[in-house]
PDB file of all heavy atoms in Angstrom:
ATOM      1  N   SER A  13      43.833-114.721 -88.185  1.00  0.00           N
ATOM      2  CA  SER A  13      44.117-113.409 -87.591  1.00  0.00           C
ATOM      3  C   SER A  13      43.429-112.302 -88.382  1.00  0.00           C
ATOM      4  O   SER A  13      42.928-111.328 -87.797  1.00  0.00           O
ATOM      5  CB  SER A  13      45.621-113.168 -87.513  1.00  0.00           C
ATOM      6  OG  SER A  13      46.188-113.123 -88.798  1.00  0.00           O
ATOM      7  N   TYR A  26      29.405-102.261 -84.070  1.00  0.00           N
ATOM      8  CA  TYR A  26      28.236-102.597 -83.245  1.00  0.00           C
ATOM      9  C   TYR A  26      28.168-101.707 -82.001  1.00  0.00           C
ATOM     10  O   TYR A  26      27.097-101.226 -81.631  1.00  0.00           O
ATOM     11  CB  TYR A  26      28.287-104.068 -82.845  1.00  0.00           C
ATOM     12  CG  TYR A  26      27.161-104.499 -81.954  1.00  0.00           C
ATOM     13  CD1 TYR A  26      25.886-104.680 -82.482  1.00  0.00           C
ATOM     14  CD2 TYR A  26      27.363-104.724 -80.608  1.00  0.00           C
ATOM     15  CE1 TYR A  26      24.843-105.073 -81.668  1.00  0.00           C
ATOM     16  CE2 TYR A  26      26.330-105.121 -79.792  1.00  0.00           C
ATOM     17  CZ  TYR A  26      25.073-105.289 -80.326  1.00  0.00           C
ATOM     18  OH  TYR A  26      24.034-105.681 -79.523  1.00  0.00           O
ATOM     19  N   GLY A  37      28.613-107.941 -90.798  1.00  0.00           N
ATOM     20  CA  GLY A  37      28.323-109.253 -90.220  1.00  0.00           C
ATOM     21  C   GLY A  37      27.915-110.263 -91.272  1.00  0.00           C
ATOM     22  O   GLY A  37      28.337-111.430 -91.226  1.00  0.00           O
ATOM     23  N   LEU A  41      29.912-113.628 -92.326  1.00  0.00           N
ATOM     24  CA  LEU A  41      29.251-114.928 -92.392  1.00  0.00           C
ATOM     25  C   LEU A  41      29.614-115.648 -93.691  1.00  0.00           C
ATOM     26  O   LEU A  41      29.919-116.850 -93.692  1.00  0.00           O
ATOM     27  CB  LEU A  41      27.731-114.759 -92.287  1.00  0.00           C
ATOM     28  CG  LEU A  41      26.913-116.030 -92.376  1.00  0.00           C
ATOM     29  CD1 LEU A  41      27.190-116.925 -91.185  1.00  0.00           C
ATOM     30  CD2 LEU A  41      25.450-115.701 -92.479  1.00  0.00           C
ATOM     31  N   THR A  43      32.327-115.152 -95.314  1.00  0.00           N
ATOM     32  CA  THR A  43      33.735-115.493 -95.163  1.00  0.00           C
ATOM     33  C   THR A  43      33.907-116.770 -94.350  1.00  0.00           C
ATOM     34  O   THR A  43      34.737-117.624 -94.697  1.00  0.00           O
ATOM     35  CB  THR A  43      34.492-114.331 -94.500  1.00  0.00           C
ATOM     36  OG1 THR A  43      34.342-113.164 -95.304  1.00  0.00           O
ATOM     37  CG2 THR A  43      35.958-114.646 -94.336  1.00  0.00           C
ATOM     38  N   VAL A  54      30.128-122.481-101.462  1.00  0.00           N
ATOM     39  CA  VAL A  54      29.461-121.213-101.146  1.00  0.00           C
ATOM     40  C   VAL A  54      28.855-120.607-102.405  1.00  0.00           C
ATOM     41  O   VAL A  54      27.757-120.050-102.377  1.00  0.00           O
ATOM     42  CB  VAL A  54      30.445-120.239-100.464  1.00  0.00           C
ATOM     43  CG1 VAL A  54      29.833-118.866-100.288  1.00  0.00           C
ATOM     44  CG2 VAL A  54      30.890-120.794 -99.137  1.00  0.00           C
ATOM     45  N   ARG A  56      27.643-122.273-104.861  1.00  0.00           N
ATOM     46  CA  ARG A  56      26.404-123.018-105.107  1.00  0.00           C
ATOM     47  C   ARG A  56      25.306-122.614-104.130  1.00  0.00           C
ATOM     48  O   ARG A  56      24.133-122.573-104.481  1.00  0.00           O
ATOM     49  CB  ARG A  56      26.655-124.522-105.006  1.00  0.00           C
ATOM     50  CG  ARG A  56      27.177-125.096-106.301  1.00  0.00           C
ATOM     51  CD  ARG A  56      27.331-126.569-106.189  1.00  0.00           C
ATOM     52  NE  ARG A  56      28.692-126.765-105.701  1.00  0.00           N
ATOM     53  CZ  ARG A  56      29.115-127.774-104.965  1.00  0.00           C
ATOM     54  NH1 ARG A  56      28.294-128.716-104.617  1.00  0.00           N
ATOM     55  NH2 ARG A  56      30.365-127.851-104.575  1.00  0.00           N
ATOM     56  N   ILE A  57      25.678-122.313-102.888  1.00  0.00           N
ATOM     57  CA  ILE A  57      24.690-121.890-101.888  1.00  0.00           C
ATOM     58  C   ILE A  57      24.086-120.544-102.274  1.00  0.00           C
ATOM     59  O   ILE A  57      22.880-120.327-102.144  1.00  0.00           O
ATOM     60  CB  ILE A  57      25.337-121.814-100.486  1.00  0.00           C
ATOM     61  CG1 ILE A  57      25.685-123.209 -99.981  1.00  0.00           C
ATOM     62  CG2 ILE A  57      24.421-121.115 -99.492  1.00  0.00           C
ATOM     63  CD1 ILE A  57      26.544-123.205 -98.729  1.00  0.00           C
ATOM     64  N   LEU A  72      30.265-112.484-103.371  1.00  0.00           N
ATOM     65  CA  LEU A  72      31.597-112.946-102.984  1.00  0.00           C
ATOM     66  C   LEU A  72      32.643-111.846-103.136  1.00  0.00           C
ATOM     67  O   LEU A  72      33.536-111.711-102.295  1.00  0.00           O
ATOM     68  CB  LEU A  72      31.983-114.179-103.798  1.00  0.00           C
ATOM     69  CG  LEU A  72      31.241-115.455-103.420  1.00  0.00           C
ATOM     70  CD1 LEU A  72      31.546-116.559-104.408  1.00  0.00           C
ATOM     71  CD2 LEU A  72      31.592-115.878-102.010  1.00  0.00           C
ATOM     72  N   ILE A  77      36.103-107.846-100.401  1.00  0.00           N
ATOM     73  CA  ILE A  77      36.520-106.455-100.169  1.00  0.00           C
ATOM     74  C   ILE A  77      36.231-106.044 -98.730  1.00  0.00           C
ATOM     75  O   ILE A  77      37.059-105.402 -98.073  1.00  0.00           O
ATOM     76  CB  ILE A  77      35.842-105.520-101.182  1.00  0.00           C
ATOM     77  CG1 ILE A  77      36.384-105.789-102.582  1.00  0.00           C
ATOM     78  CG2 ILE A  77      36.036-104.054-100.802  1.00  0.00           C
ATOM     79  CD1 ILE A  77      35.626-105.101-103.683  1.00  0.00           C
ATOM     80  N   GLY A  86      40.644-102.690 -88.546  1.00  0.00           N
ATOM     81  CA  GLY A  86      40.861-103.213 -87.202  1.00  0.00           C
ATOM     82  C   GLY A  86      42.319-103.158 -86.791  1.00  0.00           C
ATOM     83  O   GLY A  86      42.649-102.813 -85.651  1.00  0.00           O
ATOM     84  N   PHE A 101      56.774 -95.003 -87.002  1.00  0.00           N
ATOM     85  CA  PHE A 101      57.557 -96.217 -87.165  1.00  0.00           C
ATOM     86  C   PHE A 101      56.681 -97.419 -87.519  1.00  0.00           C
ATOM     87  O   PHE A 101      57.194 -98.467 -87.900  1.00  0.00           O
ATOM     88  CB  PHE A 101      58.374 -96.519 -85.902  1.00  0.00           C
ATOM     89  CG  PHE A 101      57.528 -96.914 -84.733  1.00  0.00           C
ATOM     90  CD1 PHE A 101      57.274 -98.251 -84.473  1.00  0.00           C
ATOM     91  CD2 PHE A 101      56.992 -95.964 -83.890  1.00  0.00           C
ATOM     92  CE1 PHE A 101      56.491 -98.623 -83.393  1.00  0.00           C
ATOM     93  CE2 PHE A 101      56.212 -96.317 -82.817  1.00  0.00           C
ATOM     94  CZ  PHE A 101      55.968 -97.653 -82.569  1.00  0.00           C
ATOM     95  N   HIS A 122      40.007-117.070-104.005  1.00  0.00           N
ATOM     96  CA  HIS A 122      40.513-117.375-105.343  1.00  0.00           C
ATOM     97  C   HIS A 122      39.939-118.708-105.818  1.00  0.00           C
ATOM     98  O   HIS A 122      39.914-119.689-105.077  1.00  0.00           O
ATOM     99  CB  HIS A 122      42.036-117.437-105.326  1.00  0.00           C
ATOM    100  CG  HIS A 122      42.643-117.749-106.649  1.00  0.00           C
ATOM    101  ND1 HIS A 122      42.585-116.876-107.691  1.00  0.00           N
ATOM    102  CD2 HIS A 122      43.313-118.828-107.093  1.00  0.00           C
ATOM    103  CE1 HIS A 122      43.196-117.418-108.744  1.00  0.00           C
ATOM    104  NE2 HIS A 122      43.649-118.603-108.382  1.00  0.00           N
TER     105      HIS A 122
END
Side-chain angles (χ1 to χ4, degrees):
S13 64
Y26 178 75
L41 179 66
T43 301
V54 173
R56 276 183 270 151
I57 291 170
L72 288 172
I77 292 170
F101 69 93
H122 180 68

